[in-house]
Amino acid sequence: MGCPQCGHVTAPDDRFCGACGAPLAFRDAESVDHTSVISPGPPTGTGPVSALTSGRLADLPTGSAMMVVHRGPGEGQEYLLDPAVGVMRIGRAQDADIFLDDVTVSRHHAELRHGAEGWSIRDTGSLNGTYVNRVRVDDQQLEGGSEVQVGKFRFIFLVGLEQGS
């Protein structure tokens, strides 16, 4: 099956084109998933979210960061955050810097921003909200090891070590 807008070859169960983000036609209306509100649900563990590491990585340059999907679609996928870019957009739109192909993600869901105090995330009016350590946030400074949830995607936020650390 191919995308009706750009012709990109897609899998039969894809709902959106991986190349351009266009919605794909469905064979019968029964199979269409409609956007709905989800909540993060009860914690699956017995305590606070535990980071995969200390949240700091020696391999990342100072000021750089990485978002790693640790639960949800694309588990293990890594997104390098470059401080020189300044603002990185997360969403289902084809022009998103971090493109997440799922109906639980708004087209323009959130923005990652790099400033003098490091990285922060700002929700940009998404339907399902943006969560940091399972708390819904509008604008939140991120720390190494923080869990960030956008739709069904749960990321661990990792930051580069400073020289001499």
Side-chain angles (χ1 to χ4, degrees):
M1 185 186 308
C3 174
Q5 286 201 352
C6 72
H8 178 76
V9 177
T10 60
D13 59 341
D14 283 351
R15 294 188 172 103
F16 299 92
C17 177
C20 73
L24 300 174
F26 295 97
R27 294 186 184 176
D28 67 66
E30 299 284 326
S31 67
V32 175
D33 280 347
H34 296 279
T35 301
S36 60
V37 176
I38 63 166
S39 62
T44 55
T46 57
V49 175
S50 60
L52 297 175
T53 68
S54 66
R56 295 164 48 118
L57 295 176
D59 293 341
L60 285 173
T62 300
S64 291
M66 182 182 290
M67 299 272 285
V68 180
V69 179
H70 80 100
R71 287 196 184 137
E75 192 169 320
Q77 180 74 39
E78 298 176 348
Y79 298 93
L80 184 61
L81 309 180
D82 183 359
V85 174
V87 176
M88 295 186 72
R89 295 167 298 174
I90 302 171
R92 205 166 24 101
Q94 66 185 28
D95 63 344
D97 299 301
I98 298 177
F99 175 70
L100 302 176
D101 187 13
D102 191 84
V103 295
T104 61
V105 177
S106 296
R107 283 181 176 76
H108 304 283
H109 199 103
E111 294 177 340
L112 289 160
R113 297 171 171 262
H114 186 266
E117 295 181 22
W119 289 92
S120 64
I121 190 162
R122 183 176 72 86
D123 187 89
T124 54
S126 68
L127 178 64
N128 290 322
T130 301
Y131 296 80
V132 174
N133 297 326
R134 300 194 182 163
V135 176
R136 190 170 183 159
V137 299
D138 290 323
D139 197 345
Q140 177 71 42
Q141 194 70 30
L142 295 174
E143 297 177 5
S146 293
E147 180 187 61
V148 176
Q149 182 176 346
V150 174
K152 290 181 181 178
F153 298 81
R154 287 190 186 175
F155 299 88
I156 292 294
F157 175 76
L158 304 170
V159 295
L161 286 171
E162 292 183 26
Q163 299 294 330
S165 290

